[in-house]
């Protein structure tokens, strides 16, 4: 199992073309689990959440972020994972940056917020 089921979240920094965002894999220990069949309660299902303060300017393509993380998780569990296995979501309530150089601050705020939820 990814991370041996010891963590609730994997926090993944994303940087492309000088812009930073964060992706979070929720419930990584359930990825590839024989007991997980995609019909578990949403709070207990593995998922990828992309926190991007540059969403309104199209800074990162979330589909690429989801695909890269699914590929990593697929390698970790030894089988191909699909969107049904690990769905991807954008954080609709993620504040959007006004300046061009504020993304790092937003990444840190997002990580701090996730740490407070754990």
């Amino acid at each position: 199992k990814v991370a041996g089921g010891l963590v609730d979240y994997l926090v993944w920094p994303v940087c492309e073309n000088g812009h930073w965002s964060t992706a979070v894999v929720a419930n990584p220990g359930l990825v590839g689990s024989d007991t997980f069949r995609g019909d578990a309660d949403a709070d207990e299902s593995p998922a990828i959440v992309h926190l991007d303060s540059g969403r309104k300017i199209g800074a990162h393509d979330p589909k690429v972020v989801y695909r890269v993380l699914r590929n990593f998780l697929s390698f970790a569990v030894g089988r191909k994972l699909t969107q049904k296995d690990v769905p991807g979501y954008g954080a609709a309530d993620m504040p959007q940056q006004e300046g061009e150089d504020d993304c790092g601050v937003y990444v840190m705020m997002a990580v701090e917020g996730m740490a407070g939820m754990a």
Side-chain angles (χ1 to χ4, degrees), residues 67-88:
R67 185 181 72 237
V68 168
L69 284 175
R70 276 192 209 102
N71 287 344
F72 170 79
L73 295 168
S74 293
F75 177 78
V77 300
R79 73 173 178 86
K80 177 92 170 128
L81 297 169
T82 67
Q83 183 174 347
K84 183 176 179 183
D85 296 316
V86 187

Side-chain angles (χ1 to χ4, degrees), residues 64-113:
V64 172
V65 173
Y66 306 146
R67 185 181 72 237
V68 168
L69 284 175
R70 276 192 209 102
N71 287 344
F72 170 79
L73 295 168
S74 293
F75 177 78
V77 300
R79 73 173 178 86
K80 177 92 170 128
L81 297 169
T82 67
Q83 183 174 347
K84 183 176 179 183
D85 296 316
V86 187
Y89 303 99
D93 58 348
M94 177 70 182
Q96 296 296 290
Q97 68 190 63
E98 297 296 324
E100 293 181 12
D101 300 323
D102 302 336
C103 55
V105 174
Y106 283 84
V107 165
M108 296 308 294
M109 289 182 352
V111 171
E112 182 179 50

Side-chain angles (χ1 to χ4, degrees), residues 2-3 7-16 19-28 31 47-53 60 62 64-77 86 89 94 103-104 106-108 110-112 114-115:
V2 176
V7 296
D8 293 328
Y9 304 101
L10 291 176
V11 179
W12 209 276
V14 177
C15 183
E16 181 181 25
H19 176 71
W20 288 87
S21 65
T22 306
V24 177
V25 179
N27 300 309
V31 174
I48 300 167
V49 180
H50 187 216
L51 305 161
D52 187 2
S53 64
H60 289 157
V64 172
V65 173
Y66 306 146
R67 185 181 72 237
V68 168
L69 284 175
R70 276 192 209 102
N71 287 344
F72 170 79
L73 295 168
S74 293
F75 177 78
V77 300
V86 187
Y89 303 99
M94 177 70 182
C103 55
Y106 283 84
V107 165
M108 296 308 294
V111 171
E112 182 179 50
M114 288 297 301

Side-chain angles (χ1 to χ4, degrees), residues 24-50:
V24 177
V25 179
N27 300 309
L30 296 178
V31 174
S33 168
D34 290 339
T35 58
F36 177 71
R37 297 279 184 248
D39 57 356
D41 183 21
D43 291 340
E44 299 173 4
S45 300
I48 300 167
V49 180
H50 187 216

